[in-house]
Amino acid sequence: MEEWVGRIWHKFIVQKSHTEFDHARIEFDEIKKSAGVVFRALGGAPTKRVEAAVPRDYYARRKLLDKISGTKQQISLAWQDETSLRLPQSIAIFDTPQLNKELYLWLVALAAHSPNYFTHWAKDNQAVVTKILAKFPALRPRYRRLATAVLKLRQPVDTLPKSLQPLEQAVIQAIIHPESIIDFPVANYAPQAIYLWLYPNENIKANPFKAAEVDCNEEQFSSLMTHQESQQARKKSERIDEDDTKDSLMVFRLENLFSWSEFSRVNRAEDDTEDDDAQRVAEDLDIITVAKGSRQKTAKLKLDLDLPSAIEDDLPLGKGITLPEWDYKSNQLIPERCLLQPMLPKDSKPLALPASLTTASKKIRQQFQQLQSIKNWQKAQSTGDEIDLTAWLDFHIDSKTSMARDTGLYLRFQNCQRDISTLLLSDLSMSTDAYINNEYRVIDVIKDSMLLFSEALAAVGDPFAVYGFSSVKRHHVRFTLLKNFAESYNDHIRGRILSLRPGFYTRMGAAIRQASNILAEQNQHRKLLLILTDGKPNDIDNYDGRHGIEDTRQAIIAARRLGLVPFCITIDQKADQYLPYIFGSNGFTVIFDPSQLPTKLPQLYHQLTQSSC
């Protein structure tokens, strides 16, 4: 009976304090794509992710009804840092869906011109609003509509305690006239949430107007989490000081049984420190606590279990090649930063094409053999099959006004001479060991793709090379030779491809630079660099995130300067979040059904090279 009464009371009191308009709610997923487009179109950082933010504590003065119901302790606010823009998971503060959607887009426009960290939260927001309205006058009507609607939601000034009234008046003045210069008084509580502004990327304290020192470096704990569909929202964080007097051995107390879930001891003193359980712990915690340990270890045993022994590893070719790498923080190319090691697959034996690919291979070979017999009209010929009427007319007009020279007035119908060389560079990282729909591995799909691609190019006679790559930090970038331009395609090459094993990480920039250097030495007029991957650049020495993306982008820019045509083929369904920035909107394609990759790759090559004659 008591539980039933309690449930009825809880439902009643929560509904009484509920002020959102659920019928007009706009979810973040509904505007995610358009928000990303608007953010980048207005000048936002291309590498920033646009994602949802979890509600967090907001220490504003609450009404008595809210205190009784226990609601409105947390509010979903918009904020950003160097890596991402975080927008509320949903917005339902206005009574119309249009206004709620407009608020989303306004926050995106604000973030495109806002700093990652504030010197004075309120004044910085005012300055950015003023800048946006001056730069984009078309946004003024939208801002006025939103400001009017927001002011209607705020509690009347005269109903607030006298200690909060000056601050509320200053906030209202700042919203109505963002260009005005206002002194914001300090109060015991933060004002009601200002939904038109961005908030700092840390827990809101009692006085958000004071420049807050960033106590917790978010990079120290953001590496605990990966970007997954189930974990779109970032965790809250707090920074504490570790008690040096606490001994590592402690007496078990039953009342402390659940306290572990609020604190996870994770060593992040070195960039290569790993914890297999860190991801699981991070997903379970509501608050991620980061503390700086002060005690030094007397000794440490460090083992690297990633690399196999020399006996079991692939065969190295030479001492390695030093390559530069881009440092986006200093905005410069660091020379000799990476060591690339060319390798041959171990224990590869000559093998015939697998029986499962025989039918597809015959079909693809027939299609590509026909390209050898394709004929095209050649213009500006001294003799030919037909008169080039356009050239003859130009010559006739010029001869009436000046001494014209015959530069070739005939068309000749002759075989197409293909003048193109191609290098296929494939990702062989450990992620390719994953299964697709519990049926086949990604690495097996990649092997089949390489084989059918090679069958197609061998049939048409275009020069080509095939390489694979993976990495373990910047001093060990593995560059696997499968076929170079001087070798003919035969059972030895098929054996190398079929013996491939996945492993390690994806340092894409160094591999692209070496592939570009190899391809640039070819004599053909057109040079195509195809990159086959299943994910974004990453490595365990801080190469993931923006570092890897920026380095890969600079490697692609350098490849284009060499006259190459780079193009990326990926099976990563989230590739539209980063590949447009690296390769351009027309420089990549996503294969949504990975099982179709082996047959799609030769078709894609044909489309990319059909005008190469």
Side-chain angles (χ1 to χ4, degrees):
M1 183 65 178
E2 291 179 358
E3 294 181 359
W4 178 79
V5 173
R7 288 196 297 268
I8 297 298
W9 166 254
H10 177 74
K11 182 178 180 181
F12 169 77
I13 200 68
V14 169
Q15 288 179 345
K16 291 291 290 183
S17 65
H18 187 69
T19 57
E20 292 189 338
F21 301 93
D22 293 329
H23 68 279
R25 184 179 301 276
I26 298 294
E27 299 289 343
F28 170 76
D29 290 338
E30 299 178 38
I31 58 90
K32 180 178 180 180
K33 289 188 177 180
S34 58
V37 172
V38 172
F39 177 70
R40 293 169 180 85
L42 294 181
T47 55
K48 275 193 180 182
R49 304 184 300 269
V50 180
E51 298 177 318
V54 295
R56 60 186 184 184
D57 294 337
Y58 188 80
Y59 301 103
R61 181 179 179 273
R62 294 187 295 159
K63 297 180 181 179
L64 179 61
L65 188 60
D66 298 332
K67 294 180 180 179
I68 295 175
S69 63
T71 58
K72 299 183 181 177
Q73 291 180 336
Q74 292 188 329
I75 301 178
S76 189
L77 301 169
W79 57 274
Q80 67 174 341
D81 58 12
E82 292 181 351
T83 61
S84 62
L85 165 61
R86 296 282 171 162
L87 298 175
Q89 288 179 321
S90 65
I91 295 180
I93 62 174
F94 302 126
D95 58 355
T96 63
Q98 181 63 27
L99 272 179
N100 291 322
K101 185 175 181 179
E102 285 190 356
L103 179 56
Y104 262 125
L105 297 180
W106 167 257
L107 291 172
V108 169
L110 195 68
H113 294 82
S114 292
N116 294 326
Y117 302 99
F118 296 103
T119 56
H120 188 288
W121 172 66
K123 292 182 179 179
D124 287 350
N125 271 292
Q126 273 190 277
V128 176
V129 171
T130 303
K131 177 182 177 181
I132 291 176
L133 296 180
K135 188 174 182 179
F136 305 104
L139 292 178
R140 291 177 182 173
R142 171 174 293 178
Y143 179 78
R144 285 195 294 268
R145 288 194 301 269
L146 291 172
T148 301
V150 164
L151 292 176
K152 289 180 180 179
L153 299 175
R154 302 188 70 81
Q155 189 174 348
V157 178
D158 54 1
T159 63
L160 295 172
K162 291 185 178 181
S163 61
L164 294 180
Q165 289 183 6
L167 178 57
E168 181 65 18
Q169 289 173 347
V171 169
I172 293 174
Q173 176 71 12
I175 293 175
I176 298 175
H177 302 289
E179 72 283 354
S180 61
I181 300 176
I182 303 173
D183 290 329
F184 293 89
V186 177
N188 293 330
Y189 289 94
Q192 290 178 260
I194 307 172
Y195 296 105
L196 292 174
W197 291 356
L198 294 180
Y199 277 76
N201 61 349
E202 57 197 30
N203 288 336
I204 303 301
K205 305 301 181 183
N207 179 15
F209 296 97
K210 184 178 180 181
E213 296 180 358
V214 181
D215 291 332
C216 181
N217 182 4
E218 196 163 339
E219 292 182 358
Q220 291 177 324
F221 63 85
S222 62
S223 60
L224 300 180
M225 304 172 61
T226 57
H227 180 67
Q228 302 174 354
E229 285 295 326
S230 61
Q231 287 292 106
Q232 287 186 344
R234 182 163 296 182
K235 302 289 186 180
K236 294 183 295 182
S237 66
E238 64 180 7
R239 174 70 175 266
I240 67 171
D241 294 325
E242 186 177 15
D243 186 3
D244 292 338
T245 62
K246 189 181 301 182
D247 191 77
S248 59
L249 295 176
M250 58 182 296
V251 179
F252 174 76
R253 296 175 60 189
L254 185 62
E255 57 267 29
N256 290 335
L257 180 60
F258 299 102
S259 63
W260 75 272
S261 64
E262 299 174 359
F263 181 82
S264 177
R265 185 184 297 275
V266 181
N267 180 17
R268 283 293 178 265
E270 299 184 6
D271 57 14
D272 62 346
T273 304
E274 298 183 35
D275 187 342
D276 294 337
D277 293 330
Q279 172 65 29
R280 177 186 57 78
V281 172
E283 292 177 358
D284 291 340
L285 299 183
D286 293 327
I287 298 176
I288 296 179
T289 303
V290 180
K292 182 179 180 181
S294 58
R295 289 176 294 176
Q296 298 293 329
K297 304 294 185 296
T298 57
K300 182 168 74 170
L301 178 63
K302 188 174 181 180
L303 299 175
D304 191 346
L305 301 179
D306 284 327
L307 288 175
S309 64
I311 299 177
E312 299 296 329
D313 202 1
D314 290 339
L315 306 176
L317 302 175
K319 295 182 179 180
I321 303 168
T322 56
L323 293 170
E325 187 167 274
W326 183 263
D327 182 3
Y328 79 93
K329 293 184 178 179
S330 61
N331 199 34
Q332 62 180 346
L333 195 65
I334 308 299
E336 298 184 355
R337 181 170 173 80
C338 295
L339 181 64
L340 181 138
Q341 179 61 62
M343 310 190 85
L344 273 175
K346 180 180 175 59
D347 298 332
S348 64
K349 300 178 181 178
L351 294 172
L353 188 70
S356 59
L357 300 179
T358 303
T359 303
S361 173
K362 289 182 179 179
K363 182 177 180 181
I364 289 174
R365 274 186 166 273
Q366 291 174 356
Q367 294 173 347
F368 275 75
Q369 284 172 352
Q370 294 176 2
L371 298 178
Q372 294 179 331
S373 60
I374 291 179
K375 293 184 177 182
N376 287 324
W377 287 105
Q378 305 295 321
K379 296 182 179 181
Q381 303 296 312
S382 57
T383 60
D385 302 311
E386 293 184 6
I387 295 177
D388 187 346
L389 295 179
T390 302
W392 182 89
L393 183 60
D394 292 339
F395 171 75
H396 179 72
I397 294 174
D398 292 341
S399 64
K400 296 295 183 182
T401 58
S402 63
M403 293 293 294
R405 182 180 178 183
D406 180 1
T407 57
L409 305 179
Y410 293 90
L411 295 172
R412 180 179 298 165
F413 196 57
Q414 62 182 18
N415 288 335
C416 170
Q417 299 297 325
R418 295 175 63 85
D419 189 22
I420 183 171
S421 57
T422 304
L423 190 149
L424 176 63
L425 180 64
S426 180
D427 176 6
L428 303 178
S429 62
M430 66 176 68
S431 60
T432 62
D433 199 27
Y435 277 83
I436 303 173
N437 299 328
N438 295 323
E439 296 180 7
Y440 37 77
R441 295 188 304 166
V442 175
I443 186 64
D444 295 330
V445 174
I446 291 177
K447 290 179 185 179
D448 292 348
S449 302
M450 288 181 175
L451 290 171
L452 291 184
F453 175 81
S454 301
E455 294 287 331
L457 269 68
V460 75
D462 291 346
F464 72 99
V466 183
Y467 292 85
F469 74 96
S470 61
S471 64
V472 184
K473 304 181 185 178
R474 61 188 177 92
H475 291 305
H476 192 81
V477 182
R478 303 163 66 88
F479 196 70
T480 305
L481 169 62
L482 302 173
K483 179 191 177 302
N484 61 28
F485 282 101
E487 294 178 300
S488 58
Y489 177 65
N490 51 36
D491 286 348
H492 290 279
I493 305 301
R494 297 186 186 98
R496 291 178 191 172
I497 294 174
L498 291 171
S499 66
L500 287 175
R501 296 171 294 178
F504 317 113
Y505 305 94
T506 316
R507 204 174 202 94
M508 197 175 292
I512 290 176
R513 289 185 176 92
Q514 178 62 13
S516 299
N517 294 336
I518 295 173
L519 186 56
E521 296 176 354
Q522 304 309 305
N523 298 324
Q524 283 71 28
H525 176 70
R526 192 177 184 195
K527 302 166 186 177
L528 180 62
L529 175 60
L530 294 178
I531 299 139
L532 182 60
T533 181
D534 70 333
K536 65 173 61 174
N538 74 90
D539 209 331
I540 55 176
D541 55 348
N542 291 333
Y543 192 76
D544 56 344
R546 187 173 179 184
H547 189 167
I549 290 176
E550 292 287 355
D551 176 57
T552 305
R553 180 173 183 265
Q554 292 298 324
I556 293 300
I557 292 174
R560 291 195 174 106
R561 289 174 182 164
L562 292 174
L564 313 183
V565 181
F567 193 87
C568 181
I569 304 102
T570 182
I571 60 175
D572 183 7
Q573 306 304 309
K574 301 176 184 177
D576 58 347
Q577 298 178 2
Y578 58 92
L579 282 189
Y581 179 70
I582 298 176
F583 291 91
S585 58
N586 297 322
F588 73 97
T589 187
V590 180
I591 306 298
F592 291 98
D593 185 357
S595 64
Q596 296 181 358
L597 180 60
T599 56
K600 288 284 187 181
L601 184 57
Q603 295 174 8
L604 181 62
Y605 174 80
H606 175 51
Q607 295 173 4
L608 292 172
T609 61
Q610 60 184 354
S611 60
S612 61
C613 298

